mmCIF file with all atom_site columns, all heavy atoms in Angstrom:
data_model
loop_
_atom_site.group_PDB
_atom_site.id
_atom_site.type_symbol
_atom_site.label_atom_id
_atom_site.label_alt_id
_atom_site.label_comp_id
_atom_site.label_asym_id
_atom_site.label_entity_id
_atom_site.label_seq_id
_atom_site.pdbx_PDB_ins_code
_atom_site.Cartn_x
_atom_site.Cartn_y
_atom_site.Cartn_z
_atom_site.occupancy
_atom_site.B_iso_or_equiv
_atom_site.pdbx_formal_charge
_atom_site.auth_seq_id
_atom_site.auth_comp_id
_atom_site.auth_asym_id
_atom_site.auth_atom_id
_atom_site.pdbx_PDB_model_num
ATOM 1  N N   . VAL A 1 415 ? 56.455 -36.861 -73.164 1.00 0.00 ? 415 VAL A N   1
ATOM 2  C CA  . VAL A 1 415 ? 57.773 -37.422 -73.455 1.00 0.00 ? 415 VAL A CA  1
ATOM 3  C C   . VAL A 1 415 ? 58.393 -37.963 -72.170 1.00 0.00 ? 415 VAL A C   1
ATOM 4  O O   . VAL A 1 415 ? 59.004 -39.028 -72.145 1.00 0.00 ? 415 VAL A O   1
ATOM 5  C CB  . VAL A 1 415 ? 58.683 -36.361 -74.095 1.00 0.00 ? 415 VAL A CB  1
ATOM 6  C CG1 . VAL A 1 415 ? 60.077 -36.931 -74.351 1.00 0.00 ? 415 VAL A CG1 1
ATOM 7  C CG2 . VAL A 1 415 ? 58.069 -35.855 -75.387 1.00 0.00 ? 415 VAL A CG2 1
ATOM 8  N N   . VAL A 1 416 ? 58.227 -37.206 -71.091 1.00 0.00 ? 416 VAL A N   1
ATOM 9  C CA  . VAL A 1 416 ? 58.625 -37.658 -69.763 1.00 0.00 ? 416 VAL A CA  1
ATOM 10 C C   . VAL A 1 416 ? 57.452 -37.446 -68.816 1.00 0.00 ? 416 VAL A C   1
ATOM 11 O O   . VAL A 1 416 ? 56.584 -36.605 -69.057 1.00 0.00 ? 416 VAL A O   1
ATOM 12 C CB  . VAL A 1 416 ? 59.874 -36.909 -69.233 1.00 0.00 ? 416 VAL A CB  1
ATOM 13 C CG1 . VAL A 1 416 ? 61.082 -37.181 -70.106 1.00 0.00 ? 416 VAL A CG1 1
ATOM 14 C CG2 . VAL A 1 416 ? 59.595 -35.422 -69.115 1.00 0.00 ? 416 VAL A CG2 1
ATOM 15 N N   . ASP A 1 417 ? 57.439 -38.219 -67.726 1.00 0.00 ? 417 ASP A N   1
ATOM 16 C CA  . ASP A 1 417 ? 56.471 -37.994 -66.659 1.00 0.00 ? 417 ASP A CA  1
ATOM 17 C C   . ASP A 1 417 ? 57.083 -37.033 -65.652 1.00 0.00 ? 417 ASP A C   1
ATOM 18 O O   . ASP A 1 417 ? 58.234 -37.209 -65.235 1.00 0.00 ? 417 ASP A O   1
ATOM 19 C CB  . ASP A 1 417 ? 56.123 -39.302 -65.959 1.00 0.00 ? 417 ASP A CB  1
ATOM 20 C CG  . ASP A 1 417 ? 55.114 -40.129 -66.747 1.00 0.00 ? 417 ASP A CG  1
ATOM 21 O OD1 . ASP A 1 417 ? 54.636 -39.654 -67.803 1.00 0.00 ? 417 ASP A OD1 1
ATOM 22 O OD2 . ASP A 1 417 ? 54.810 -41.250 -66.317 1.00 0.00 ? 417 ASP A OD2 1
ATOM 23 N N   . VAL A 1 418 ? 56.310 -36.040 -65.269 1.00 0.00 ? 418 VAL A N   1
ATOM 24 C CA  . VAL A 1 418 ? 56.760 -35.061 -64.288 1.00 0.00 ? 418 VAL A CA  1
ATOM 25 C C   . VAL A 1 418 ? 55.842 -35.131 -63.069 1.00 0.00 ? 418 VAL A C   1
ATOM 26 O O   . VAL A 1 418 ? 54.627 -34.954 -63.200 1.00 0.00 ? 418 VAL A O   1
ATOM 27 C CB  . VAL A 1 418 ? 56.768 -33.628 -64.867 1.00 0.00 ? 418 VAL A CB  1
ATOM 28 C CG1 . VAL A 1 418 ? 57.252 -32.640 -63.805 1.00 0.00 ? 418 VAL A CG1 1
ATOM 29 C CG2 . VAL A 1 418 ? 57.633 -33.554 -66.118 1.00 0.00 ? 418 VAL A CG2 1
ATOM 30 N N   . ASN A 1 419 ? 56.421 -35.415 -61.912 1.00 0.00 ? 419 ASN A N   1
ATOM 31 C CA  . ASN A 1 419 ? 55.671 -35.469 -60.669 1.00 0.00 ? 419 ASN A CA  1
ATOM 32 C C   . ASN A 1 419 ? 56.160 -34.390 -59.716 1.00 0.00 ? 419 ASN A C   1
ATOM 33 O O   . ASN A 1 419 ? 57.370 -34.246 -59.506 1.00 0.00 ? 419 ASN A O   1
ATOM 34 C CB  . ASN A 1 419 ? 55.830 -36.826 -59.984 1.00 0.00 ? 419 ASN A CB  1
ATOM 35 C CG  . ASN A 1 419 ? 55.057 -37.929 -60.680 1.00 0.00 ? 419 ASN A CG  1
ATOM 36 O OD1 . ASN A 1 419 ? 55.266 -38.174 -61.863 1.00 0.00 ? 419 ASN A OD1 1
ATOM 37 N ND2 . ASN A 1 419 ? 54.178 -38.591 -59.960 1.00 0.00 ? 419 ASN A ND2 1
ATOM 38 N N   . VAL A 1 420 ? 55.226 -33.652 -59.150 1.00 0.00 ? 420 VAL A N   1
ATOM 39 C CA  . VAL A 1 420 ? 55.533 -32.693 -58.090 1.00 0.00 ? 420 VAL A CA  1
ATOM 40 C C   . VAL A 1 420 ? 55.227 -33.368 -56.756 1.00 0.00 ? 420 VAL A C   1
ATOM 41 O O   . VAL A 1 420 ? 54.148 -33.951 -56.583 1.00 0.00 ? 420 VAL A O   1
ATOM 42 C CB  . VAL A 1 420 ? 54.716 -31.401 -58.244 1.00 0.00 ? 420 VAL A CB  1
ATOM 43 C CG1 . VAL A 1 420 ? 54.937 -30.477 -57.046 1.00 0.00 ? 420 VAL A CG1 1
ATOM 44 C CG2 . VAL A 1 420 ? 55.083 -30.687 -59.531 1.00 0.00 ? 420 VAL A CG2 1
ATOM 45 N N   . GLN A 1 421 ? 56.163 -33.303 -55.822 1.00 0.00 ? 421 GLN A N   1
ATOM 46 C CA  . GLN A 1 421 ? 56.011 -33.974 -54.537 1.00 0.00 ? 421 GLN A CA  1
ATOM 47 C C   . GLN A 1 421 ? 56.258 -32.982 -53.411 1.00 0.00 ? 421 GLN A C   1
ATOM 48 O O   . GLN A 1 421 ? 57.255 -32.264 -53.418 1.00 0.00 ? 421 GLN A O   1
ATOM 49 C CB  . GLN A 1 421 ? 56.993 -35.150 -54.433 1.00 0.00 ? 421 GLN A CB  1
ATOM 50 C CG  . GLN A 1 421 ? 56.773 -36.197 -55.528 1.00 0.00 ? 421 GLN A CG  1
ATOM 51 C CD  . GLN A 1 421 ? 57.880 -37.229 -55.611 1.00 0.00 ? 421 GLN A CD  1
ATOM 52 O OE1 . GLN A 1 421 ? 58.980 -37.013 -55.131 1.00 0.00 ? 421 GLN A OE1 1
ATOM 53 N NE2 . GLN A 1 421 ? 57.585 -38.358 -56.240 1.00 0.00 ? 421 GLN A NE2 1
ATOM 54 N N   . VAL A 1 422 ? 55.326 -32.942 -52.462 1.00 0.00 ? 422 VAL A N   1
ATOM 55 C CA  . VAL A 1 422 ? 55.473 -32.048 -51.311 1.00 0.00 ? 422 VAL A CA  1
ATOM 56 C C   . VAL A 1 422 ? 55.199 -32.838 -50.040 1.00 0.00 ? 422 VAL A C   1
ATOM 57 O O   . VAL A 1 422 ? 54.372 -33.756 -50.017 1.00 0.00 ? 422 VAL A O   1
ATOM 58 C CB  . VAL A 1 422 ? 54.529 -30.829 -51.398 1.00 0.00 ? 422 VAL A CB  1
ATOM 59 C CG1 . VAL A 1 422 ? 54.914 -29.938 -52.564 1.00 0.00 ? 422 VAL A CG1 1
ATOM 60 C CG2 . VAL A 1 422 ? 53.073 -31.267 -51.526 1.00 0.00 ? 422 VAL A CG2 1
ATOM 61 N N   . GLY A 1 423 ? 55.907 -32.492 -48.979 1.00 0.00 ? 423 GLY A N   1
ATOM 62 C CA  . GLY A 1 423 ? 55.716 -33.150 -47.697 1.00 0.00 ? 423 GLY A CA  1
ATOM 63 C C   . GLY A 1 423 ? 55.848 -32.152 -46.561 1.00 0.00 ? 423 GLY A C   1
ATOM 64 O O   . GLY A 1 423 ? 56.528 -31.126 -46.695 1.00 0.00 ? 423 GLY A O   1
ATOM 65 N N   . VAL A 1 424 ? 55.208 -32.460 -45.434 1.00 0.00 ? 424 VAL A N   1
ATOM 66 C CA  . VAL A 1 424 ? 55.277 -31.580 -44.274 1.00 0.00 ? 424 VAL A CA  1
ATOM 67 C C   . VAL A 1 424 ? 55.143 -32.407 -43.003 1.00 0.00 ? 424 VAL A C   1
ATOM 68 O O   . VAL A 1 424 ? 54.397 -33.387 -42.972 1.00 0.00 ? 424 VAL A O   1
ATOM 69 C CB  . VAL A 1 424 ? 54.184 -30.482 -44.344 1.00 0.00 ? 424 VAL A CB  1
ATOM 70 C CG1 . VAL A 1 424 ? 52.789 -31.100 -44.381 1.00 0.00 ? 424 VAL A CG1 1
ATOM 71 C CG2 . VAL A 1 424 ? 54.316 -29.509 -43.183 1.00 0.00 ? 424 VAL A CG2 1
ATOM 72 N N   . ASP A 1 425 ? 55.887 -32.031 -41.981 1.00 0.00 ? 425 ASP A N   1
ATOM 73 C CA  . ASP A 1 425 ? 55.773 -32.624 -40.649 1.00 0.00 ? 425 ASP A CA  1
ATOM 74 C C   . ASP A 1 425 ? 55.455 -31.516 -39.653 1.00 0.00 ? 425 ASP A C   1
ATOM 75 O O   . ASP A 1 425 ? 56.133 -30.472 -39.643 1.00 0.00 ? 425 ASP A O   1
ATOM 76 C CB  . ASP A 1 425 ? 57.091 -33.283 -40.214 1.00 0.00 ? 425 ASP A CB  1
ATOM 77 C CG  . ASP A 1 425 ? 57.431 -34.536 -41.007 1.00 0.00 ? 425 ASP A CG  1
ATOM 78 O OD1 . ASP A 1 425 ? 56.533 -35.088 -41.655 1.00 0.00 ? 425 ASP A OD1 1
ATOM 79 O OD2 . ASP A 1 425 ? 58.611 -34.937 -40.971 1.00 0.00 ? 425 ASP A OD2 1
#
Side-chain angles (χ1 to χ4, degrees):
V415 178
V416 297
D417 281 356
V418 180
N419 286 57
V420 174
Q421 300 169 340
V422 294
V424 60
D425 291 343

